Amino acid sequence: CSAGFHPVVLQYSPPRTRPSMQLRSQMASTVAAATLLLVGLVGHAAAAHESGRSEVTPVQKVIELMEGMLAKGKSEKHDEQVQFAAYKQFCDDTTVEKKRAIAEANEKIEVLKADIEKYTATAAKLTEEIAAHDEDISVWKGDQKAATKVRELEKADYDAMHADYSESIDALERAIAALKKQAYDRKQSSFVQVSALQKLSLIPESAKRAIDAFIQDETSEGLEVSAPEAYGFEFQSHGVIEMLEKLLDKFMAERTDLEKTEMNSKHAYDMLMQDLTAQIEQATQDREEKAELKAKTLQA
């Protein structure tokens, strides 16, 4: 260098934050261009100094260029810091939001697990109760069938027995009436009414033997009798009538008791069927409600 010219050493401080790849490339290109320009200006400044011309020195131009570069670098650094701060704030906010969402999800998972356990236990309990209702309904329907079968047998026995009593009572009434009417008129028709009693199942064997003996004694003497014989017939028939009247009273009383027993049996059967029907209907309703609740519980 010539006397009186002192070169100026420039220092460039890069931004503290790491620039982007495009920014660093641009800065490198600018620095290289500035360096080349600086070298050229230094040579030009030496020549100008030697020629004695007075103008803006090249160093000043380089300084102005470098100051512009510094201002631009600071501006870009500031922009990058602002952008980074925005990104960092976004990341911080997102992190907080995601942590909150995860915490809420975990809490919801725990609640859902508890609900699942609760619903599972409820469904299991309802299944047991439904099975119990099914068993009760089956048993009660079986009771209905059994009670109906027993009732049908009782009714058949009653009808047969009532028919026997009614037939016997009717026959006894006819026989008694015939004997009373024909005490002195010993017609064969009176013995027919009495003889018919021997065919009845309810007539005791002792009474059948007495009736048979009475008929044999009277028929063996013939139809024509004198007054003393008629008196004897009246005496004998009186004993038979008294026996038949006792049997009539006995059969009527027994038929009345039979009718009362039948009425009580029918009432008991009706009450039992009414109670079983009510239980079956209630159990069926409860079963349907619990089955519907179980379905809703499993869908929840």
Side-chain angles (χ1 to χ4, degrees):
C1 295
S2 59
F5 175 76
H6 300 282
V8 178
V9 180
L10 300 177
Q11 295 182 350
Y12 173 73
S13 299
R16 295 182 181 179
T17 57
R18 180 179 296 178
S20 62
M21 294 296 295
Q22 183 179 3
L23 178 60
R24 284 183 291 175
S25 177
Q26 293 177 353
M27 291 177 64
S29 299
T30 305
V31 171
T35 302
L36 294 174
L37 179 61
L38 177 60
V39 173
L41 290 177
V42 169
H44 180 71
H49 180 71
E50 291 176 356
S51 62
R53 291 182 297 176
S54 177
E55 56 183 7
V56 178
T57 64
V59 175
Q60 291 178 341
K61 291 183 178 181
V62 172
I63 291 174
E64 290 177 358
L65 176 63
M66 300 300 284
E67 288 178 349
M69 292 173 59
L70 177 61
K72 182 179 180 182
K74 289 182 178 180
S75 175
E76 291 177 351
K77 176 183 178 182
H78 175 73
D79 293 340
E80 186 175 353
Q81 287 177 337
V82 171
Q83 185 179 11
F84 176 78
Y87 288 157
K88 185 177 184 302
Q89 184 64 41
F90 170 77
C91 292
D92 293 341
D93 294 342
T94 303
T95 300
V96 173
E97 178 63 23
K98 294 302 181 181
K99 287 182 178 180
R100 183 189 63 80
I102 291 172
E104 291 179 355
N106 290 333
E107 183 178 357
K108 188 175 182 180
I109 289 173
E110 295 299 324
V111 173
L112 291 175
K113 286 182 178 179
D115 290 341
I116 291 172
E117 292 179 358
K118 176 183 176 182
Y119 294 147
T120 302
T122 301
K125 181 179 179 182
L126 290 173
T127 300
E128 294 178 357
E129 293 178 354
I130 290 172
H133 286 311
D134 289 337
E135 183 178 359
D136 290 340
I137 291 172
S138 178
V139 171
W140 290 333
K141 287 184 177 180
D143 292 343
Q144 281 185 327
K145 292 181 179 179
T148 300
K149 185 175 181 179
V150 171
R151 176 59 193 151
E152 290 174 351
L153 295 174
E154 290 178 347
K155 185 63 167 59
D157 292 341
Y158 165 78
D159 290 339
M161 186 62 67
H162 191 274
D164 288 343
Y165 274 118
S166 298
E167 182 182 8
S168 299
I169 290 172
D170 184 64
L172 285 170
E173 288 176 343
R174 290 196 306 268
I176 292 171
L179 289 174
K180 287 182 177 180
K181 182 179 180 181
Q182 299 177 4
Y184 296 97
D185 185 7
R186 301 172 65 184
K187 293 182 179 180
Q188 191 68 23
S189 60
S190 63
F191 296 106
V192 173
Q193 299 292 336
V194 177
S195 178
L197 297 175
Q198 294 178 306
K199 300 178 181 179
L200 301 176
S201 60
L202 293 180
I203 301 297
E205 290 298 326
S206 58
K208 290 181 179 180
R209 288 194 297 270
I211 292 171
D212 184 64
F214 169 74
I215 294 174
Q216 288 181 0
D217 289 343
E218 297 304 324
T219 55
S220 63
E221 295 178 1
L223 296 176
E224 298 295 333
V225 295
S226 60
E229 291 173 339
Y231 177 77
F233 172 80
E234 180 182 0
F235 177 78
Q236 290 180 355
S237 65
H238 179 72
V240 174
I241 291 173
E242 184 177 359
M243 179 190 68
L244 296 180
E245 286 179 342
K246 288 181 179 180
L247 285 176
L248 177 62
D249 293 340
K250 178 177 179 295
F251 288 168
M252 293 184 68
E254 289 178 354
R255 186 177 70 174
T256 301
D257 292 340
L258 181 66
E259 291 172 348
K260 290 180 180 179
T261 301
E262 165 62 14
M263 182 177 64
N264 292 333
S265 297
K266 184 177 184 305
H267 178 70
Y269 170 77
D270 292 339
M271 293 299 295
L272 175 62
M273 294 300 292
Q274 181 178 354
D275 182 58
L276 289 174
T277 300
Q279 289 179 330
I280 290 173
E281 290 177 352
Q282 184 62 48
T284 301
Q285 180 180 353
D286 293 342
R287 186 200 182 284
E288 292 176 352
E289 291 177 354
K290 291 178 180 179
E292 183 178 357
L293 178 59
K294 177 185 174 181
K296 292 182 178 178
T297 300
L298 294 177
Q299 292 176 357

